[in-house]
Amino acid sequence: MKKWERLPRFMQCDEVREYYDILCKKSFSLALKRVFDIVVASMLLVVCAVPMIVIGIKIVTESEGGIFYRQVRVTRYGKEFRIHKFRTMVNGADKMGTKVTVADDCRITPTGAFLRKYRLDELPQLIDVLAGDMSFVGTRPEVPEYVRRYTAEMRATLLLPAGITSEASIHYKDEAKTLCEKDKNVDEVYVGKVLPKKMKYNLQGLRKFSLGGDILIMIRTIFAVIKKGDS
């Protein structure tokens, strides 16, 4: 953790300080969290190397465009980075609609639908975990436009790296179904209604953080994905 006075100015507020003090008391657990991320991410990259190559080939042979989707997201301390995800939409999808995915989104490719169903599109984020931009468990990284609209308390989630999964991810595993293309402004619906509800789980996660709790969330995520796949 950075010293309080070295945090970005927009994070130096009373609402963030409360969570900062809680996390400072768990510095050893946070260090173990980073070691865990590096070790497990390295192992998974080796194990998943061949399946990831097969997925990449399938993506580029099905539709025009690259293998990866590299959108700018925000992580710890407000740092911007380009996330690694398998491309699940047609090339140029960002220019064809909203920044969030809605139910029955016409931009999603057939292979992309399968990858999203089992969250396989997020496998490349193991690279981001090794780079330190992400962790296995943490608040999902949002685009800068959404982060600029965070409340003061929401900014506390930027005290830790963004995550591949979280308690909020489990509860909102079918997030796309709550959003509809018929809404006049899907982005506004997401920021105004969905994001605040997800943030309640994220902030609670900061208060109760423990490495054991993170591992449990990872296990529950696996079961949630399997259950979603069977439905």
Side-chain angles (χ1 to χ4, degrees), residues 173 217-230:
K173 62 181 184 295
I217 287 176
M218 291 171 65
I219 294 173
R220 290 175 56 216
T221 297
I222 293 173
F223 281 105
V225 171
I226 294 174
K227 183 177 180 180
K228 179 180 179 181
D230 293 336

Side-chain angles (χ1 to χ4, degrees), residues 178-195:
T178 67
L179 301 171
C180 178
E181 287 182 318
K182 294 180 180 179
D183 290 321
K184 293 182 178 180
N185 194 322
V186 177
D187 292 313
E188 289 297 328
V189 172
Y190 177 75
V191 174
K193 296 182 179 181
V194 179
L195 185 59

Side-chain angles (χ1 to χ4, degrees), residues 145-216:
E145 179 183 335
Y146 294 165
V147 175
R148 285 193 288 270
R149 299 176 63 177
Y150 276 9
T151 64
E153 187 178 21
M154 287 179 183
R155 297 169 197 162
T157 59
L158 300 176
L159 288 170
L160 296 182
I164 293 178
T165 189
S166 65
E167 186 70 29
S169 297
I170 295 174
H171 285 274
Y172 285 84
K173 62 181 184 295
D174 295 318
E175 177 184 300
K177 293 181 180 180
T178 67
L179 301 171
C180 178
E181 287 182 318
K182 294 180 180 179
D183 290 321
K184 293 182 178 180
N185 194 322
V186 177
D187 292 313
E188 289 297 328
V189 172
Y190 177 75
V191 174
K193 296 182 179 181
V194 179
L195 185 59
K197 294 178 181 178
K198 291 170 64 176
M199 278 297 182
K200 289 182 179 179
Y201 289 108
N202 294 327
L203 292 169
Q204 185 180 53
L206 291 182
R207 290 180 179 277
K208 298 181 177 181
F209 165 73
S210 71
L211 182 57
D214 276 9
I215 294 174
L216 180 59

Side-chain angles (χ1 to χ4, degrees), residues 6-18:
R6 294 186 61 188
L7 292 182
R9 184 67 61 182
F10 77 97
M11 293 180 67
Q12 294 183 33
C13 58
D14 292 339
E15 291 85 352
V16 173
R17 186 62 192 244
E18 178 184 354

